[in-house]
Amino acid sequence: MRSDATSQVVRSRDSEPQPAYTPALVQALHDSIDGEVRFDAGTRGMYAVDSSNYRQVPIGVVIPRTVDAVVQTIAACRRFGAPVVSRGGGTSLCGQTCNVAVVIDFSKYLRHIVSLDAQAQRAEVLPGLVLDDLRDAAEEHHLTFAPDPSTHNHNTLGGMIGNNSCGVHSLMAGKTVDNIESLDILTYDGLRMRVGPTSDEELEQIIAEGGRRGEIYSRLRDLRDRYADRIRDSFPAIPRRVSGYNLDQLLPESGFNVARALVGTEGTCVTVLQATCRLVPSPPSRSLLVLGYPDVYSAGDHVSDILEYKPIGLEGIDDRLVEDMKAVGLHPEDLKLVPDGNGWLLVEFGGQTKAEADSRAHQLMAALKSVPNAPSMKLFDDPAEEKMLWTVRRSGLGATAHVPNKAITWEGWEDASVPPDRLGDYLRDFRQLLEKFHYACDLYGHFGQGCVHTRIDFGLETAAGIEKFHDFLGEAADLVVSYGGSLSGEHGDGQSKAEFLPRMFGEDIVQAFREFKRIWDPDGRMNPGKVVDPYLPTENLRIGTDYNPAITPTHFRYPKDSGNFARASLRCVGVGDCRRHDSGTMCPSYMVTREELHSTRGRARMLFEMLKGDVVKGGWRSKEMRAALDLCLACKGCKGDCPVNVDMATYKAEFLSHHYAWRLRPRAAYAMGLIYWWARLASLVPRLANGLAQTQPFAGWLKALGGIAPQRAMPRFAARTLRQRLSDAPANGVSHEPRGNGQRPRLILWPDTFTNHFLPEAGEAAAEVLRTAGWQVTLPPRPLCCGRPLYDFGMLTLARRQWRQILSELKDDIEAGTPLVGLEPSCVAAFRDELVNLFYGNEDAKRLSRQTFTLAEFLLKIDYRPPELNRKALVQGHCNHKAVMHMDKDVALLKRLGLDFEVLDSGCCGLAGSFGFEAHKYDVSMQIGERRLFPAVRQAAGDTLIIADGFSCREQIRHATGRTALHLAQVLQMALQQPGSHAAAPPPAHIHFSNEVSP
């Protein structure tokens, strides 16, 4: 069956075909539902893809606030014959959550636990609930929902039910189908009912009652009776059979479980409104054993032996995955933890106590030591190290999608499953098949259940490449079937595998699938063209023979994307880590709005659509793209947190530079973007500047003129700048001279705009600490600026001019390898990131980037030993700092300092340079801070130090809590100024700093 949603079309204002009934449907939805109705070009473009290779522009998107709104949405669609598709986290890999249909997004509002009964070990949930929200609530009772895909911190239960998801710990209690008790469902024709296991007596009673419900059950019974023997013969008895419909759940031995028969139907039969989930005991203690083998095939050979020891997780990775992780710089320290080998198994054991879990691991280790060619072994007892290694395993997709100097890899054959006792041989044959087609990939996955994950470098941009891709899929399907396996062991069929279901089940069972769908959806309006009567895997390709984005000159060079901005727009693979809301930095605005538009993924998708140009039009002038970027904080959280390092801050700066070329920018761009020049002007008359900025009505007028939120208190200009203060303090060993006095090694202290004009005390503190460490501190010979605020508004031509001044003025020091120490994290990040991206290939730019350090990096490099400071502290890491330089050096230095400290997992503070100052962003800014940062600071004792190197972070903390945050330099100075304190550092003259830090 093919969707006929575009059979009768009109041209909407964005020139993309929509059904003729669309205006009436939109009106009906607005009139009847409690929810958001979005049929605009930007939303349609953003929802045109999921995490798969496929792209289908939806008719529109509905975001219901209530379950009743879902019912009314289906009713409105039914009036006009509009197809529908349910969507949760949008992380499906087989194209099942994109379609020419009305997309119902459950994830924004319908995301709650209705009830949790710990004694009965079950929970009632809405379909938009994030899995980890359920698991966290269940863990309070030492229970869990066993299936846990790698996307567990942002995927939804509705999506898991649709795809019959699994994950690492499905080894412990089965797939999603095994953990669903009952479902509240809605058919396209309007029947709402609760379904689950059905006794023979109940079945006969339901059929006798008649009506649509009785008709459905009668036809299901007849279907079962006609196909029962063939179902028993055709369904492979393996732990990871996810392909096809679960018709085996209708068999008498399965209790005629209609709910479980509907699990894994990918929205092609019914809409799930609510689910009753089974919870199972969660082992409170866990141990991780890592086994190293000569190759991944040998690792696969030993899976069955290891399963005899009842692990709760058994994962595999190969040497190519590890090498690709190293190539992209992903978890380099964590990879040092794995034992010797070229193929590894991660074996997790659970128990009521750590000793019990360790005992099970030791039993396996003892057994393995006695076998020939025993693997290398390492048992981990440190929870932090165990977490690191699981992160390595979960990062497989990110490690393999965009490896430097390699082709982009794609989904398409990413989760086939075979009997675990045949896994080693299957892996060998599968590698031979890949070599036959000259494809490369990494192998990893849920080896304990015979499920193999991979992304392959399919060539999907040419007719020949697509034909080769299709031929490979056919042979790969035949190979899996020859092993008694399943085409899908995790992610479903969608359209990428559905064509090959007859090879796995036979034509009779595939006909049964068709009949099953017709029972529920006789008009074929539920997610048409997926699973049953499917589109071919070569149709609807996001990247196909017509992919030809315009090549536009750009300011940034994008070296990791072959210098191609269009390729950079392909970097997002849709895994959706930016949709998490519990930890990390990415994506601050999404965390508070729960809007796909405000996720890194949503913005990346919009960027792709902008370049494609058939739905989102206007190119660089696109209003939709501008709106998507409006609440991007340019925090670089995505660059650090995203598994494929999508760098939305850079893309935003690039877009805005073109969007506003030869046009006026918003007022805030001139008020905040040009702060370097305004601050220099204010430094001439700081008392007058402060009087105007702090006194009404002048302050109100200035804020209104600059587009600044009236609630914000403007930061005060220092009476004397850092440059002025240090110029008057020769005793501190500070000089403006380009050369030192020959007695101490020399460094440059960078007087960024914020430290120089607003917090010179931090600069003075840094100078004192560095002088105590044995260094002569010098300043640049004249005022300079890296232009950090300019990027937020796309003023890249001006930023390049600023960099050229820096490269010219510091040329001698750059060539001499003089270290440069920065105090403002966003400025140090600019030296390390924007500089080399704007001036790619410029050797001086590379040198300067490599010899620029944060204060903590520099002090650790010279092995500085500060006096101990017996205080408690909360540390707020600046987003740019975490993303580009990382916080490990700061943590190490704080440990040397002897502080009792906590680094807050609070994400962005919410101010983010100019972001929180802009009037229309103020509320979002404060909501971001209220997630964790503000409460943590308010709850901290009065004598607890609040440490924040970022000027934005300090201002946000002061504004929201009244507390004064200190720069690390000030805390180090505080330790120095204690009575009897002294710091220790070895003579640093032997240290060479050039080329020490990779950009």
Side-chain angles (χ1 to χ4, degrees):
M1 178 178 292
R2 295 289 188 272
S3 168
D4 61 357
T6 57
S7 60
Q8 184 183 15
V9 301
V10 293
R11 292 282 175 174
S12 65
R13 284 182 295 177
D14 57 66
S15 298
E16 176 67 13
Q18 285 182 306
Y21 55 69
T22 298
L25 172 59
V26 170
Q27 188 60 54
L29 289 167
H30 276 300
D31 291 344
S32 61
I33 76 159
D34 179 13
E36 300 169 15
V37 180
R38 303 179 181 178
F39 282 58
D40 60 282
T43 300
R44 293 171 60 228
M46 191 166 51
Y47 281 80
V49 296
D50 48 18
S51 297
S52 70
N53 294 338
Y54 301 102
R55 175 181 182 267
Q56 291 178 278
V57 181
I59 300 168
V61 176
V62 174
I63 307 176
R65 291 190 176 90
T66 66
V67 170
D68 284 344
V70 179
V71 176
Q72 293 303 319
T73 297
I74 299 292
C77 290
R78 183 169 62 251
R79 283 175 54 193
F80 299 96
V84 296
V85 57
S86 298
R87 182 167 167 134
T91 58
S92 295
L93 291 173
C94 301
Q96 54 263 69
T97 54
C98 57
N99 214 325
V100 183
V102 174
V103 174
I104 304 175
D105 185 345
F106 287 83
S107 65
K108 185 175 181 181
Y109 297 116
L110 299 177
R111 52 184 174 86
H112 304 293
I113 298 173
V114 177
S115 64
L116 194 155
D117 186 336
Q119 186 172 0
Q121 296 187 1
R122 64 171 57 95
E124 286 278 345
V125 304
L126 296 180
L129 177 71
V130 169
L131 172 60
D132 270 4
D133 289 347
L134 173 60
R135 297 205 311 161
D136 291 345
E139 283 291 352
E140 295 179 10
H141 307 281
H142 307 295
L143 300 170
T144 191
F145 187 76
D148 58 342
S150 60
T151 53
H152 54 80
N153 61 0
H154 58 280
N155 72 263
T156 67
L157 267 295
M160 294 181 68
I161 292 167
N163 289 351
N164 194 11
S165 299
C166 306
V168 173
H169 295 105
S170 58
L171 186 65
M172 184 168 65
K175 308 182 291 291
T176 296
V177 67
D178 304 309
N179 293 278
I180 295 298
E181 301 274 337
S182 64
L183 296 174
D184 181 6
I185 63 167
L186 177 70
T187 64
Y188 187 82
D189 54 17
L191 175 65
R192 180 176 179 180
M193 60 180 173
R194 173 70 65 162
V195 297
T198 316
S199 68
D200 291 341
E201 294 78 11
E202 290 172 320
L203 178 58
E204 294 305 321
Q205 180 181 349
I206 292 170
I207 293 172
E209 290 173 354
R212 175 72 171 121
R213 180 171 180 245
E215 176 198 355
I216 289 172
Y217 275 77
S218 175
R219 293 177 64 187
L220 289 175
R221 181 192 60 184
D222 293 345
L223 179 73
R224 176 200 66 184
D225 292 345
R226 283 185 288 115
Y227 287 98
D229 290 339
R230 276 168 286 183
I231 291 171
R232 294 186 182 101
D233 292 340
S234 302
F235 278 54
I238 60 175
R240 282 293 186 99
R241 196 276 304 159
V242 172
S243 279
Y245 290 157
N246 291 319
L247 300 185
D248 56 328
Q249 294 294 334
L250 296 178
L251 297 175
E253 55 265 37
S254 299
F256 201 82
N257 196 319
V258 178
R260 292 185 176 181
L262 288 168
V263 171
T265 53
E266 302 181 16
T268 61
C269 295
V270 300
T271 299
V272 175
L273 302 177
Q274 192 166 304
T276 304
C277 302
R278 177 175 75 118
L279 303 176
V280 297
S282 176
S285 296
R286 306 190 182 199
S287 297
L288 179 63
L289 172 64
V290 181
L291 306 175
Y293 292 88
D295 51 54
V296 72
Y297 319 114
S298 302
D301 290 335
H302 287 83
V303 163
S304 293
D305 297 334
I306 294 168
L307 287 174
E308 294 179 7
Y309 291 83
K310 307 299 182 185
I312 63 172
L314 177 51
E315 302 291 291
I317 58 177
D318 74 352
D319 55 330
R320 300 190 188 195
L321 177 65
V322 170
E323 288 305 312
D324 283 346
M325 284 187 172
K326 292 177 180 177
V328 298
L330 198 63
H331 312 296
E333 295 302 318
D334 304 347
L335 292 172
K336 296 176 182 178
L337 298 173
V338 299
D340 293 339
N342 291 303
W344 295 268
L345 294 177
L346 282 66
V347 192
E348 186 177 51
F349 292 94
Q352 292 300 309
T353 64
K354 186 68 169 149
E356 181 183 349
D358 283 351
S359 174
R360 294 178 179 176
H362 284 300
Q363 290 175 30
L364 174 59
M365 294 172 72
L368 290 175
K369 288 177 182 177
S370 64
V371 303
N373 301 316
S376 60
M377 294 179 265
K378 187 172 183 180
L379 178 63
F380 292 84
D381 282 323
D382 182 349
E385 290 185 342
E386 292 176 18
K387 183 177 180 181
M388 290 178 193
L389 285 168
W390 283 120
T391 301
V392 168
R393 161 59 189 88
R394 287 196 300 269
S395 299
L397 187 152
T400 60
H402 294 274
V403 179
N405 303 314
K406 291 187 179 182
I408 297 176
T409 59
W410 306 96
E411 68 86 14
W413 194 259
E414 69 293 321
D415 66 330
S417 180
V418 298
D421 60 356
R422 304 190 67 187
L423 179 61
D425 288 339
Y426 167 73
L427 290 172
R428 292 180 180 93
D429 287 346
F430 183 60
R431 180 61 76 184
Q432 287 183 4
L433 179 63
L434 291 163
E435 291 173 353
K436 171 184 174 180
F437 280 84
H438 303 288
Y439 285 144
C441 71
D442 305 336
L443 300 174
Y444 58 99
H446 310 294
F447 281 16
Q449 293 190 313
C451 182
V452 180
H453 288 318
T454 186
R455 290 175 66 91
I456 302 173
D457 56 345
F458 300 124
L460 301 178
E461 299 178 31
T462 66
I466 293 171
E467 182 180 2
K468 176 182 171 184
F469 161 66
H470 191 245
D471 291 343
F472 169 81
L473 293 182
E475 294 198 30
D478 289 340
L479 176 63
V480 168
V481 171
S482 74
Y483 273 87
S486 175
L487 308 182
S488 173
E490 177 113 49
H491 298 132
D493 300 312
Q495 75 173 84
S496 67
K497 305 185 189 75
E499 177 195 358
F500 304 104
L501 289 176
R503 304 192 189 195
M504 175 179 169
F505 291 102
E507 290 291 350
D508 283 352
I509 292 298
V510 171
Q511 177 59 30
F513 293 160
R514 292 190 188 98
E515 293 179 28
F516 183 79
K517 175 177 169 61
R518 288 195 199 106
I519 291 170
W520 297 102
D521 178 32
D523 295 326
R525 290 293 182 262
M526 298 296 296
N527 203 12
K530 314 294 177 172
V531 186
V532 169
D533 297 320
Y535 294 105
L536 296 176
T538 53
E539 293 182 273
N540 307 318
L541 288 171
R542 181 179 177 220
I543 304 297
T545 56
D546 61 344
Y547 176 68
N548 189 30
I551 303 298
T552 306
T554 56
H555 295 276
F556 290 106
R557 301 294 296 275
Y558 307 101
K560 292 184 178 180
D561 294 295
S562 304
N564 188 332
F565 185 67
R567 177 166 171 144
S569 76
L570 293 174
R571 182 164 283 273
C572 175
V573 296
V575 70
D577 262 12
C578 49
R579 287 173 55 93
R580 66 183 181 222
H581 59 276
D582 57 341
S583 63
T585 305
M586 162 185 83
C587 179
S589 50
Y590 175 81
M591 288 182 180
V592 300
T593 69
R594 298 295 183 101
E595 282 278 358
E596 177 75 12
L597 178 70
H598 300 146
S599 68
T600 303
R601 182 180 72 178
R603 294 175 180 126
R605 296 310 200 211
M606 192 77 80
L607 186 64
F608 173 86
E609 293 294 329
M610 180 199 83
L611 293 175
K612 188 171 181 63
D614 59 350
V615 177
V616 176
K617 296 184 178 299
W620 294 117
R621 301 293 197 195
S622 167
K623 294 179 181 179
E624 291 86 0
M625 190 70 237
R626 177 68 185 89
L629 292 169
D630 188 49
L631 291 187
C632 171
L633 287 82
C635 66
K636 289 188 176 290
C638 48
K639 184 179 177 70
D641 287 5
C642 173
V644 288
N645 304 123
V646 169
D647 185 1
M648 194 52 61
T650 296
Y651 308 160
K652 176 182 178 180
E654 187 74 63
F655 172 80
L656 292 178
S657 70
H658 298 278
H659 186 76
Y660 286 111
W662 309 106
R663 296 199 293 177
L664 286 174
R665 287 174 163 81
R667 288 169 293 164
Y670 304 103
M672 306 299 295
L674 304 180
I675 187 64
Y676 167 63
W677 290 273
W678 294 124
R680 291 184 66 189
L681 182 63
S683 69
L684 301 177
V685 284
R687 191 172 295 179
L688 174 61
N690 285 328
L692 293 174
Q694 306 294 330
T695 306
Q696 296 296 346
F698 309 108
W701 295 344
L702 288 173
K703 292 176 189 177
L705 184 64
I708 296 170
Q711 303 95 320
R712 287 285 175 193
M714 299 299 292
R716 299 185 67 90
F717 292 99
R720 303 178 71 245
T721 67
L722 175 64
R723 293 184 67 90
Q724 291 169 336
R725 294 187 186 198
L726 294 186
S727 295
D728 295 341
N732 287 339
V734 176
S735 170
H736 293 283
E737 295 300 320
R739 297 293 174 206
N741 57 22
Q743 298 176 351
R744 292 170 176 249
R746 180 172 164 277
L747 61 82
I748 299 171
L749 180 65
W750 183 255
D752 62 88
T753 297
F754 308 104
T755 304
N756 189 37
H757 293 280
F758 296 102
L759 192 68
E761 295 83 3
E764 289 183 299
E768 180 179 347
V769 171
L770 292 166
R771 179 184 62 81
T772 303
W775 287 76
Q776 180 188 359
V777 179
T778 64
L779 299 177
R782 52 159 290 190
L784 296 170
C785 179
C786 69
R788 172 61 259 180
L790 299 172
Y791 305 119
D792 295 343
F793 301 100
M795 297 177 170
L796 298 184
T797 300
L798 189 54
R800 287 178 64 89
R801 188 186 308 165
Q802 296 296 102
W803 281 119
R804 289 192 186 97
Q805 290 180 355
I806 293 171
L807 293 172
S808 175
E809 293 290 342
L810 301 184
K811 186 171 181 58
D812 290 343
D813 279 308
I814 292 170
E815 294 177 355
T818 305
L820 184 149
V821 177
L823 302 179
E824 171 57 40
S826 61
C827 294
V828 177
F831 275 86
R832 298 268 275 272
D833 188 9
E834 278 87 357
L835 170 59
V836 290
N837 202 343
L838 284 169
F839 292 86
Y840 184 71
N842 183 306
E843 293 301 321
D844 279 346
K846 287 193 286 187
R847 293 184 186 103
L848 179 57
S849 178
R850 289 169 178 162
Q851 62 202 55
T852 298
F853 299 86
T854 66
L855 181 62
E857 286 174 336
F858 183 82
L859 292 176
L860 284 178
K861 182 64 67 176
I862 64 173
D863 198 26
Y864 178 71
R865 302 281 173 174
E868 288 197 0
L869 185 63
N870 186 21
R871 296 283 295 274
K872 288 188 175 182
L874 289 180
V875 182
Q876 166 66 10
H878 189 283
C879 296
N880 286 190
H881 195 152
K882 289 182 284 191
V884 179
M885 291 84 72
H886 311 298
M887 292 289 292
D888 55 320
K889 299 297 190 296
D890 293 73
V891 169
L893 186 59
L894 290 171
K895 288 180 179 178
R896 286 189 179 185
L897 192 55
L899 286 177
D900 178 8
F901 67 94
E902 175 189 359
V903 179
L904 296 173
D905 184 11
S906 54
C908 182
C909 72
L911 192 60
S914 63
F915 181 90
F917 280 97
E918 296 181 56
H920 72 287
K921 300 174 182 176
Y922 177 81
D923 289 342
V924 171
S925 168
M926 298 305 289
Q927 290 172 40
I928 291 170
E930 287 291 356
R931 284 186 58 253
R932 288 184 182 167
L933 175 59
F934 300 164
V937 172
R938 293 185 188 115
Q939 292 166 15
D943 60 351
T944 297
L945 299 175
I946 311 299
I947 304 175
D949 282 3
F951 176 75
S952 295
C953 302
R954 293 193 297 271
E955 281 297 300
Q956 183 80 320
I957 291 169
R958 178 183 63 84
H959 174 73
T961 70
R963 295 287 295 268
T964 298
L966 301 175
H967 192 284
L968 173 63
Q970 293 173 288
V971 177
L972 292 167
Q973 182 189 49
M974 184 183 300
L976 283 174
Q977 293 178 349
Q978 295 177 118
S981 295
H982 64 278
H990 67 285
I991 302 291
H992 298 283
F993 286 91
S994 58
N995 301 320
E996 288 285 349
V997 179
S998 298

